[in-house]
Each structure stands twice: as structure tokens, then as C-alpha cells.
């Protein structure tokens, strides 16, 4: 009796095992056939054209090291070809304003993994000798980048140079233009301070700011003084608007970029149609330096050069008041044109 029960149990186990093996073989065959099937009319392809392949931002972040090697000239031609790297003309340019915070803005935007910056001011469009070298010379000055990154350069002299708007328009009529401004009188004094420091390094004397900014014969503001002329933002912007619509400009508040940079950077991200990637983690206040520094990752931090944030000389308060009154109507027109209001006195 016991022998018959054991034989029956073995028979049932063999049947169940055969069924299990058969099911497994069926599933394997089924999956293989599904892999081979091709839809007759793919719905996705009928609904919309396939988008070009995009490089994930995470990949761009990991490959910053390669771009750094390229800037140092250490990458090989094979690496350039293998990674499909190119030198692109800029799709966005920081055109000014001098002493408005152009370097800080460029360095902060470079925190974004989809942005690649030209490290030096190229001065292509404002320098006749450079411009005569042609657009390929200009392209050769651009950093290597992945095709879907945005290259940005900055040359603050572009904003005030008469020939530049037309020249940039001829290169790319849809280029995006960034202008960073500060309170005009403060910017003029900062401009003077930089020139003064250069003179002192060469043991040269220089006039006081008051003597340059005010015409001693008329006691009016001296508009022939370049630092004053540069701060009349609306005069320069009107020249640019002959070639580009206001929608292609973004105005950055240089004063806020010093005290609270993240909101300003987020506005620029949206203007450039970039996904939001710059966060408070990337910015930390350096008490010793007195302004924000940059954190790219857990290892690499960067502060701007020590020449940034120079201490301004004391200026006669009556001269400051006269300059602010002079700039006031120009500022009001600037607000009206740009649609952005600043808390300037």
C-alpha cells in the first residue's frame, strides 16, 4: 500500500514538473516573439516627429572635467571627435554694463550644467581689428561644448559701442542679450575706482572723481566723462532697439546679484529656456570676502578675483546728489522701455 502511494506521488510530481517546464518554454518563446514584432504604424511617430537626441544634464555635469581639459589644451582630437564636441557661436551674450557685475553674472551662470562660458572677453564686435578677422576667428575663441549646451560670452564694451548692435545682428538676429545694471551713480564711481587703482599701480596721479564728473566751468554734470555717459543706460539701449526687439533682452539687477543672487539667476534661467538647476546649494556667502562665492560640487568651490568688490573712495555728497538728479529722468525712461523698475534714488 505504501509503495503504491509513493509511486502515485512521484507520478503527480512528474506531471506538475512537465507543466511548469512547458509554461516556462512558452513564456520564453512568447517574449522572444514580442521583441521581434514591429508595429505597422507606430502611434508616437504619427503624432509628432522624433525630437533630436538630448544629452542629459547629469551627463554634462560629469563631463565638466573633459571640458576643463579642453580649455587647458590637454584633450586630444580623438577625445573631441569621440564626445562630439564643437565650438559654437554664442546663443547668448552679456553685452554690459561695465562695472555692473558682468563677470559675476557669467561665473554664476556657468554653475548651470547646460551653460559653457568663454573665459576671456573676446572683444570681437567692438574691436575693428578683431572683427576684420572674421566670424570663424570668433568661433575659434569659443570653448568646446556639447551640441545642446549654450555658449555665453561677455564683453561689456559691446553695450556702449555704436557699431556693435548691427554686427551682432548680422551674426545672429535671434541671439539673446543680457544687460546687468547697477544704480547709475554707484556704477560710475565703481568705474572711476577701477581706473584709479590702475593708475596707482603705475605710480601715476589721477583727478578726483568730483573733478571729472562735474564740469568746473558750468557746474553741470560732465556728460563727456565716459563713466557718466556709460550710466545713461537708456541712450545706449535705444541704439540696440533699432536692431533687436525688447523681448530679446533681459535686464539683470546687479545690486541684487550682490546681496541675493539666486532669484536673479532663476530669472535668467527662464529667459534662456534652461531647466532650473542653480540652487542655494551653489551659492554661499563668504564673510571674509563680503560677497557670494560659488559651489560647483562637494569638492570644487570658487570665489571671484580679489579685485572684485573694491572699496570706493569718499565722494562729496553734493556731487552724488547732483548725479542722481541728473540720472533720474533717464532712469524713468529705462524703466518704461524695459518693463523693470529699480529702487534707485
Amino acid at each position: 500500500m505504501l509503495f503504491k502511494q509513493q509511486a502515485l506521488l512521484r507520478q503527480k510530481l512528474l506531471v506538475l514538473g512537465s507543466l511548469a517546464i512547458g509554461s516556462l518554454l512558452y513564456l520564453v518563446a512568447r517574449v522572444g516573439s514580442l521583441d521581434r514584432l514591429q508595429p505597422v504604424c507606430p502611434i508616437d511617430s504619427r503624432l509628432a516627429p522624433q525630437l533630436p537626441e538630448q544629452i542629459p544634464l547629469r551627463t554634462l555635469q560629469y563631463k565638466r572635467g573633459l571640458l576643463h581639459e579642453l580649455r587647458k589644451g590637454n584633450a586630444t582630437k580623438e577625445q573631441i571627435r569621440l564626445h562630439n564636441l564643437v565650438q559654437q557661436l554664442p546663443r547668448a551674450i552679456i553685452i554690459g554694463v561695465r562695472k555692473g557685475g558682468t563677470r559675476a553674472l557669467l561665473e554664476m551662470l556657468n554653475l548651470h550644467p547646460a551653460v559653457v562660458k568663454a573665459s576671456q572677453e573676446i572683444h570681437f564686435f567692438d574691436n575693428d581689428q578683431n572683427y576684420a578677422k572674421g566670424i570663424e576667428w570668433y568661433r575659434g575663441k569659443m570653448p568646446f561644448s556639447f551640441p545642446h549646451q549654450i555658449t555665453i560670452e561677455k564683453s561689456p564694451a559691446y553695450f556702449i559701442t555704436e557699431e556693435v548692435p548691427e554686427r551682432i545682428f548680422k551674426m545672429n538676429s535671434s541671439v539673446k542679450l543680457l544687460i546687468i545694471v547697477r544704480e547709475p551713480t554707484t556704477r560710475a564711481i565703481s568705474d572711476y575706482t577701477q581706473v584709479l587703482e590702475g593708475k596707482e599701480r603705475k605710480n601715476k596721479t589721477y583727478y578726483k572723481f568730483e573733478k571729472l564728473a562735474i564740469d568746473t566751468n558750468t557746474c553741470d554734470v560732465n556728460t563727456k566723462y565716459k563713466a557718466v555717459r556709460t550710466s545713461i543706460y537708456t541712450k545706449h539701449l535705444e541704439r540696440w532697439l533699432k536692431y533687436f526687439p525688447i523681448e530679446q533682452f533681459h535686464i539683470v539687477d546687479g545690486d541684487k546679484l550682490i546681496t541675493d543672487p539666486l532669484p536673479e539667476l532663476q530669472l535668467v534661467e527662464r529667459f534662456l529656456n534652461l531647466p532650473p538647476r542653480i540652487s542655494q546649494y551653489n551659492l554661499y556667502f563668504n564673510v571674509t570676502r563680503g560677497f557670494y562665492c560659488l559651489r560647483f560640487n562637494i569638492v570644487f568651490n570658487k570665489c571671484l578675483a580679489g579685485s572684485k568688490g573694491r572699496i570706493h573712495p569718499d565722494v562729496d555728497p553734493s556731487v552724488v546728489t547732483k548725479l542722481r538728479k541728473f540720472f533720474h529722468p533717464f532712469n524713468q525712461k529705462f524703466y518704461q522701455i524695459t518693463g523693470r523698475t529699480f529702487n534707485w534714488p
Side-chain angles (χ1 to χ4, degrees), residues 225-243:
Y225 178 39
K226 187 176 180 180
V228 169
R229 287 202 317 274
T230 300
S231 285
I232 308 175
Y233 304 139
T234 185
K235 291 289 187 183
H236 306 293
L237 182 58
E238 285 172 345
R239 186 189 314 115
W240 285 84
L241 290 173
K242 294 176 183 177
Y243 295 91

Side-chain angles (χ1 to χ4, degrees), residues 319-331:
V319 171
V320 171
T321 300
K322 184 183 285 286
L323 284 168
R324 286 176 172 170
K325 286 182 179 179
F326 170 79
F327 287 126
H328 181 75
F330 297 110
N331 295 342

Side-chain angles (χ1 to χ4, degrees), residues 92-226:
I93 302 177
I94 301 172
I95 59 173
V97 177
R98 172 181 160 90
K99 305 314 300 173
T102 56
R103 172 57 60 182
L105 177 60
L106 183 68
E107 296 293 343
M108 289 178 178
L109 290 178
N110 194 48
L111 288 165
H112 199 291
V115 169
V116 178
K117 68 179 176 71
S119 297
Q120 303 298 321
E121 294 179 7
I122 310 299
H123 289 286
F124 177 63
F125 297 103
D126 66 307
N127 183 299
D128 290 340
Q129 288 183 336
N130 287 342
Y131 190 68
K133 295 174 183 177
I135 201 71
E136 290 308 311
W137 178 88
Y138 181 52
R139 186 194 299 275
K141 295 294 183 180
M142 293 299 124
F144 282 91
S145 62
F146 298 102
H148 298 287
Q149 286 181 301
I150 293 178
T151 298
I152 299 179
E153 79 121 324
K154 74 102 174 175
S155 293
Y158 289 168
F159 185 59
I160 62 170
T161 305
E162 189 171 343
E163 299 83 5
V164 171
E166 182 179 5
R167 290 175 174 179
I168 291 182
F169 180 83
K170 287 179 178 178
M171 178 195 72
N172 181 1
S173 61
S174 61
V175 68
K176 296 199 171 185
L177 303 166
L178 295 162
I179 305 173
I180 180 167
V181 294
R182 296 189 67 192
E183 191 276 313
T185 302
T186 303
R187 194 222 62 82
I189 296 172
S190 180
D191 198 329
Y192 166 83
T193 304
Q194 178 171 311
V195 176
L196 175 64
E197 185 180 273
K199 297 284 187 182
E200 289 176 343
R201 278 201 304 266
K202 297 175 182 178
N203 294 318
K204 294 182 177 181
T205 58
Y206 196 49
Y207 294 111
K208 292 189 67 175
F209 176 78
E210 292 87 342
K211 188 173 181 65
L212 294 168
I214 304 298
D215 188 323
T216 54
N217 294 322
T218 64
C219 291
D220 292 331
V221 171
N222 180 16
T223 55
K224 293 181 180 179
Y225 178 39
K226 187 176 180 180

Side-chain angles (χ1 to χ4, degrees), residues 159 179 232-242 244-251 329-342:
F159 185 59
I179 305 173
I232 308 175
Y233 304 139
T234 185
K235 291 289 187 183
H236 306 293
L237 182 58
E238 285 172 345
R239 186 189 314 115
W240 285 84
L241 290 173
K242 294 176 183 177
F244 300 96
I246 194 63
E247 291 77 20
Q248 281 177 235
F249 295 86
H250 178 74
I251 311 301
F330 297 110
N331 295 342
Q332 296 302 310
K333 191 171 184 181
F334 186 70
Y335 303 160
Q336 184 180 4
I337 293 172
T338 62
R340 182 159 193 185
T341 302
F342 299 90

Side-chain angles (χ1 to χ4, degrees), residues 69-87:
E69 291 301 309
L70 282 164
R71 282 195 292 271
K72 294 193 300 181
N74 295 337
T76 65
K77 290 183 179 180
E78 178 62 22
Q79 286 177 310
I80 295 170
R81 185 195 63 77
L82 184 64
H83 293 280
N84 195 28
L85 295 169
V86 291
Q87 287 175 291

